[in-house]
Amino acid sequence: MAVQLVDYPELLEDLGEHAAEVLEANWHEAARVFTSRGLEAYLQGAASLRALGRGSDLVVAFVESAPQVAREIGEQAVFEMLSTAIRMYSKTSAQVLSLFFSTAPVVARRLGEIGLFRGYLLLIDQLLAQAPQGVRPMLGKIEVLLDQMTLGGLRRWAMWGVSAYRNNFAAQTEFFGLASPQALAVMQQERRGVLFIDIQRRLVMYLRALWGRDFFLRPTSGDFETREGYRPFIEDYFIYVPDAYDDWENGRGKRTAALEVFRAAAAHASAHVVLSRFDARFELAPPARRPWIGLLEDAWVERRAISAFPGLHGLWKPLVTVPATVDRTAEPDLAAVLDRCALALLDPEYEDDHRVVVAAREAFARLPQDDGDRYTGILESAEHLAALAGECGLHFTPSAEISAIAYRDDNRYLWTAPHTAELGDPLAGGQPQVRKYVNLMEMLNAVEVENAGDDAQEVWILSTELYDDDGTTFNEREGKVPISQPMTYSEWDYQTQLERPLWVTLYEKRPKSGDPEVINGFLEQQKPLVQRLKKLIEAVQPQGVIRERKVEDGDDIDINAAVLALSDIRMGLQPDPRIGIRTRLHIRDLSVMLLIDLSESTNDALRSRAEGDVTVLQLAREAAALLAQALERIGDPFMLCGFDSNGRHDVEFYRFKEFDGPYDDKVKARLAGMTGQLSTRMGAALRHAGGLMERRASQKKLVILLTDGEPADNDVRDPQYLRFDAKKAVEELARKGIRTFCLSLDPYADEYVSRIFGARNYLVLDHVDRLPEKLPQLYIAMTK
């Protein structure tokens, strides 16, 4: 569903006349570059900035810059930029924030990649903490700085200024505004030869001319601090090259221009993309053999590329050199010997009588000229060469394996499987994978490739299970655990009092199945408790027509009450006016969801039962079974869910029973298969549960959260952060008419759970082993 600006009149009114006009002027461009959810977050971000009360210039700067940043490096960069600005607002002025937004498109265009843009945001955050007076002048000169330096150079330049003028605010302003000789001198020292962003288009056209196809190039900045790590690499079909190259000298007085180094690196990596492929045997190879695998594969793809384009030999050969004076009979440095082997395999005229170099030449000569099964030969040769190198005293150490060949990549492409299922294949035009739900006859008669991989362009999904003759489903036997499309939710930052839009990613996953007899056996053991619950249930069953007495405006008159009122009048007393009887239909219109915390802590054992140790997870499973049994008898529609999390990018949500689904052995099997793992990002789970509850047409809606601890996750250090976010999620659900209640198994939870859910919306269960009994009784008491 398209997002229309006219659907947000209140937001336009809140922004003010000037900001609203700017938003309308930029809306067309924003609609082109943002997704529907991105547009909603874009509007929400503008409203959040307006709520800061720092004037309309700040809002206007964000509204104008966000679509430009999204066009350059994607909408995710916009929301990370907004999150950084929200953190900044308490540390700096509105003018600095406006300048931060207005210069962001220039930064995005000069850096050209979201990973580098994140590094820039981190740098701004650090400067605000260490040299706040320098941020404003640096932002004013950011275009000049990035025209001369890479992100790594900018970071080293800025840290030099911080170190030199930490306590001299006037000197900070001069340095970061490029008004001092020291600033210009350090910038000249950090200046690089040719920046990738200036020649990116030329490189893409160069590769297209070579291979007749498109390639995707991105910059990488290596190590900001040490300048190491400036090596190309290939990852998920993207070619990453250093964001800058200097002119290269071979140590013999010959210089190669930086542009030629860029061309050599791009040509070599593109040859890998075209000619190499991932092989699982390489992934399993010992680390000591990988340098030799990479050496032979590099030489093979270059030989094939040179046979097709002979001019590449003249491009690569000057960049593969060895020192003029070297002891060729013994060489203790493995990296140097590898470089000598590389030159020997590239240049037939190069002479070297080192045992390993000679063996490498012989092994390479035995590899097939065409594609064939060369990887088997490469594996065998790498094993032999690694053993021979060990005999010569060339021992492998990962930290020391640094090649002097500037243009070659690190070969991770060979032993890292591409994640095509998640990204789609950008080489196929960047088209997203299509998921299509079909019926059984379409699946049987029209499917083209039954055993297609995860990288298929179109995946067909059967909407119902398909059973084999033995009663098992094909999905259980041959399928993979399905997950939903990613769903993103905002998160509340209590320090800035603003939301971080599209901050958390949640996936719905299919729960594992266990033995339903585990649940049936427990219910059989708890027959006395089930009988007691039955009596309580009968008291809250729908009663049909109810006659309510003592009302003023009833449907009928209560004769007894009317006689008493008349008697009071004659005695001179104040009569009771409630002499009516009202007849109404009593119907329970309620939907309820039990949301179970499935974090790792639920696997902790308790010693409160005579029959031995039990875990919190086992008690939660039994409580869910008893509550489901009670709700099934009452007739209230209910849903059973669980959640865990592994950072903000991976919140897992499980549905054990749907509202409209039956409570049968399949549901009991899912309850029996519950496992505890990872962490507890409570706010995201509550928001997703609220979204599911919103679809219900019931008059009353209730979410019962069963947890054994406070909100926590592995990427959050501040214990208050997720508590305040969960509190905000509860408030959001309350505004939607959804009541939340927390049943906590943490004996120390009173301190924080009351702040999250409210003083009357929680219960801390001191005796954990009474959970299966207390939960159904609690529900019945809440819904009478």
Side-chain angles (χ1 to χ4, degrees):
M1 182 178 176
V3 178
Q4 302 294 334
L5 189 58
V6 294
D7 296 333
Y8 297 87
E10 296 180 357
L11 184 143
L12 293 174
E13 183 179 353
D14 292 340
L15 291 180
E17 183 178 355
H18 178 49
E21 290 177 356
V22 175
L23 179 60
E24 291 174 355
N26 287 271
W27 183 253
H28 178 69
E29 178 65 18
R32 288 178 53 198
V33 298
F34 285 108
T35 62
S36 296
R37 292 188 65 87
L39 281 174
E40 294 177 357
Y42 174 55
L43 294 174
Q44 185 181 8
S48 298
L49 292 173
R50 181 63 179 176
L52 294 177
R54 297 289 187 93
S56 62
D57 291 344
L58 178 59
V59 181
V60 168
F62 170 74
V63 168
E64 291 179 334
S65 64
Q68 300 176 53
V69 173
R71 184 178 63 248
E72 294 291 342
I73 53 178
E75 68 177 31
Q76 182 61 35
V78 173
F79 307 130
E80 298 199 17
M81 174 184 70
L82 179 61
S83 178
T84 299
I86 289 172
R87 291 196 303 272
M88 291 169 58
Y89 96 100
S90 62
K91 307 173 186 177
T92 188
S93 64
Q95 290 77 14
V96 173
L97 288 176
S98 299
L99 190 58
F100 169 73
F101 281 132
S102 60
T103 56
V106 173
V107 175
R109 184 171 62 254
R110 295 301 302 173
L111 297 181
E113 204 269 329
I114 188 172
L116 300 182
F117 190 73
R118 291 191 183 106
Y120 167 76
L121 297 179
L122 179 61
L123 174 61
I124 295 295
D125 209 15
Q126 291 176 339
L127 285 180
L128 275 176
Q130 301 179 32
Q133 297 295 324
V135 174
R136 184 170 184 172
M138 191 188 80
L139 290 175
K141 298 291 185 179
I142 194 65
E143 186 170 6
V144 176
L145 292 169
L146 290 180
D147 277 343
Q148 304 295 323
M149 295 184 289
T150 64
L151 176 61
L154 177 65
R155 179 182 176 85
R156 289 186 293 273
W157 175 83
M159 290 300 105
W160 193 96
V162 170
S163 176
Y165 308 113
R166 186 179 300 274
N167 298 318
N168 189 338
F169 296 152
Q172 275 185 25
T173 303
E174 288 187 0
F175 179 88
F176 286 97
L178 290 178
S180 68
Q182 292 85 353
L184 296 174
V186 176
M187 183 179 72
Q188 186 65 27
Q189 180 182 350
E190 294 294 341
R191 184 176 178 178
R192 301 300 301 272
V194 176
L195 302 185
F196 167 80
I197 197 67
D198 294 328
I199 62 167
Q200 180 179 8
R201 182 175 176 81
R202 296 167 65 182
L203 289 177
V204 171
M205 297 299 293
Y206 173 67
L207 296 183
R208 184 184 296 174
L210 279 179
W211 302 104
R213 58 183 288 184
D214 282 325
F215 294 86
F216 296 85
L217 273 65
R218 288 182 176 177
T220 179
S221 189
D223 186 346
F224 292 145
E225 303 295 342
T226 64
R227 299 195 188 195
E228 294 178 357
Y230 285 96
R231 293 192 64 186
F233 63 92
I234 307 168
E235 190 171 77
D236 294 325
Y237 298 109
F238 287 91
I239 298 174
Y240 291 81
V241 296
D243 53 2
Y245 270 126
D246 294 321
D247 291 348
W248 188 83
E249 295 184 4
N250 64 357
R252 301 179 181 180
K254 186 174 181 181
R255 179 185 294 268
T256 301
L259 179 59
E260 296 301 301
V261 181
F262 266 118
R263 285 178 177 166
H268 178 84
S270 65
H272 270 308
V273 173
V274 174
L275 301 171
S276 298
R277 66 180 187 275
F278 167 75
D279 192 299
R281 293 175 294 177
F282 288 169
E283 187 178 21
L284 300 175
R289 297 180 192 172
R290 287 188 175 185
W292 302 103
I293 293 174
L295 172 74
L296 295 172
E297 180 68 6
D298 285 341
W300 191 92
V301 298
E302 287 187 355
R303 182 173 67 184
R304 284 289 302 272
I306 290 171
S307 66
F309 312 107
L312 290 177
H313 185 268
L315 179 67
W316 287 327
K317 181 182 175 182
L319 299 174
V320 184
T321 59
V322 296
T325 58
V326 63
D327 182 3
R328 302 187 182 280
T329 60
E331 178 57 63
D333 186 357
L334 177 61
V337 171
L338 285 168
D339 291 345
R340 289 163 59 180
C341 291
L343 181 58
L345 301 185
L346 179 64
D347 184 6
E349 298 178 358
Y350 172 69
E351 297 181 0
D352 196 322
D353 56 0
H354 193 284
R355 289 177 58 195
V356 177
V357 177
V358 173
R361 250 183 178 152
E362 294 173 352
F364 182 66
R366 291 193 296 269
L367 295 180
Q369 295 290 326
D370 56 356
D371 194 3
D373 187 18
R374 72 177 186 276
Y375 284 165
T376 300
I378 287 178
L379 282 168
E380 294 174 353
S381 299
E383 182 179 3
H384 170 67
L385 291 173
L388 182 60
E391 294 175 4
C392 296
L394 304 173
H395 299 293
F396 172 77
T397 54
S399 59
E401 195 246 314
I402 302 175
S403 174
I405 303 176
Y407 72 89
R408 286 190 177 178
D409 61 278
D410 62 5
N411 288 316
R412 72 179 68 177
Y413 180 74
L414 295 177
W415 37 75
T416 304
H419 299 86
T420 54
E422 298 174 6
L423 298 176
D425 186 355
L427 300 178
Q431 295 295 326
Q433 187 181 72
V434 177
R435 290 172 173 255
K436 183 178 179 181
Y437 289 84
V438 299
N439 58 40
L440 178 60
M441 296 309 298
E442 287 178 302
M443 180 68 75
L444 294 179
N445 297 330
V447 68
E448 295 181 359
V449 184
E450 295 87 346
N451 299 318
D454 291 335
D455 57 346
Q457 190 173 17
E458 182 172 299
V459 175
W460 284 17
I461 303 171
L462 191 61
S463 55
T464 58
E465 291 283 10
L466 180 61
Y467 289 85
D468 201 357
D469 295 336
D470 59 359
T472 60
T473 66
F474 285 94
N475 194 47
E476 291 174 349
R477 285 167 37 188
E478 302 179 15
K480 297 183 178 180
V481 178
I483 62 173
S484 67
Q485 294 294 327
M487 290 162 277
T488 52
Y489 291 94
S490 300
E491 197 163 75
W492 180 255
D493 187 340
Y494 78 98
Q495 292 183 330
T496 61
Q497 293 295 297
L498 291 172
E499 283 188 342
R500 294 178 170 181
L502 305 183
W503 190 250
V504 182
T505 304
L506 181 144
Y507 298 90
E508 284 196 5
K509 296 188 177 182
R510 177 176 292 179
K512 299 177 182 178
S513 295
D515 186 2
E517 291 304 317
V518 173
I519 304 298
N520 291 329
F522 166 73
L523 293 175
E524 185 67 24
Q525 294 175 2
Q526 299 294 331
K527 270 190 175 181
L529 177 58
V530 173
Q531 292 298 324
R532 293 204 309 270
L533 291 176
K534 181 179 179 182
K535 294 179 181 179
L536 293 172
I537 291 168
E538 292 173 350
V540 296
Q541 285 282 10
Q543 300 296 321
V545 177
I546 296 178
R547 293 170 61 88
E548 185 178 356
R549 299 180 182 273
K550 283 190 172 295
V551 295
E552 292 188 21
D553 53 346
D555 304 318
D556 202 353
I557 295 177
D558 186 347
I559 300 299
N560 294 332
V563 170
L564 291 175
L566 185 59
S567 300
D568 290 340
I569 291 174
R570 290 183 176 181
M571 294 174 63
L573 302 175
Q574 179 68 32
D576 187 350
R578 299 174 299 173
I579 61 172
I581 299 176
R582 182 183 300 152
T583 303
R584 63 183 178 88
L585 184 63
H586 179 69
I587 300 176
R588 290 174 56 84
D589 189 11
L590 171 70
S591 294
V592 63
M593 176 188 292
L594 177 63
L595 185 60
I596 305 172
D597 171 13
L598 297 178
S599 59
E600 178 65 32
S601 58
T602 58
N603 294 320
D604 294 344
L606 304 169
R607 297 183 179 275
S608 54
R609 282 192 179 178
E611 60 267 24
D613 293 347
V614 294
T615 63
V616 175
L617 180 65
Q618 182 178 344
L619 292 174
R621 180 186 299 119
E622 295 172 356
L626 282 175
L627 179 62
Q629 192 82 358
L631 294 175
E632 187 76 6
R633 289 178 177 272
I634 294 175
D636 290 340
F638 67 99
M639 189 173 185
L640 303 177
C641 300
F643 73 96
D644 57 56
S645 65
N646 186 23
R648 69 181 179 93
H649 294 299
D650 186 15
V651 180
E652 301 176 338
F653 195 91
Y654 302 93
R655 301 192 194 190
F656 302 111
K657 181 195 174 298
E658 300 285 350
F659 278 113
D660 300 324
Y663 179 59
D664 53 13
D665 283 347
K666 289 184 180 179
V667 176
K668 294 177 181 177
R670 294 173 192 146
L671 290 177
M674 285 195 313
T675 57
Q677 58 186 356
L678 305 175
S679 303
T680 312
R681 208 173 194 103
M682 192 177 292
L686 286 172
R687 289 183 178 93
H688 187 65
L692 297 175
M693 294 293 287
E694 275 190 289
R695 304 172 191 172
R696 301 294 301 172
S698 303
Q699 182 180 3
K700 297 180 180 180
K701 301 169 186 177
L702 172 65
V703 175
I704 301 177
L705 175 66
L706 176 60
T707 180
D708 69 326
E710 63 179 316
D713 212 339
N714 54 27
D715 60 346
V716 177
R717 296 183 179 179
D718 184 357
Q720 297 294 330
Y721 176 80
L722 290 180
R723 293 182 185 179
F724 278 97
D725 175 61
K727 181 178 184 295
K728 190 68 174 180
V730 170
E731 294 172 354
E732 293 172 6
L733 266 60
R735 286 196 295 269
K736 297 175 182 178
I738 303 172
R739 182 184 177 187
T740 54
F741 190 94
C742 178
L743 185 59
S744 178
L745 308 181
D746 181 4
Y748 305 104
D750 299 83
E751 177 184 354
Y752 61 84
V753 75
S754 62
R755 298 178 184 176
I756 297 176
F757 293 91
R760 304 181 62 182
N761 292 319
Y762 77 96
L763 176 65
V764 177
L765 198 60
D766 295 328
H767 300 285
V768 181
D769 56 348
R770 297 187 64 189
L771 172 63
E773 176 185 355
K774 285 293 184 181
L775 181 57
Q777 293 180 356
L778 172 66
Y779 169 77
I780 293 169
M782 291 174 58
T783 58
K784 277 187 178 179

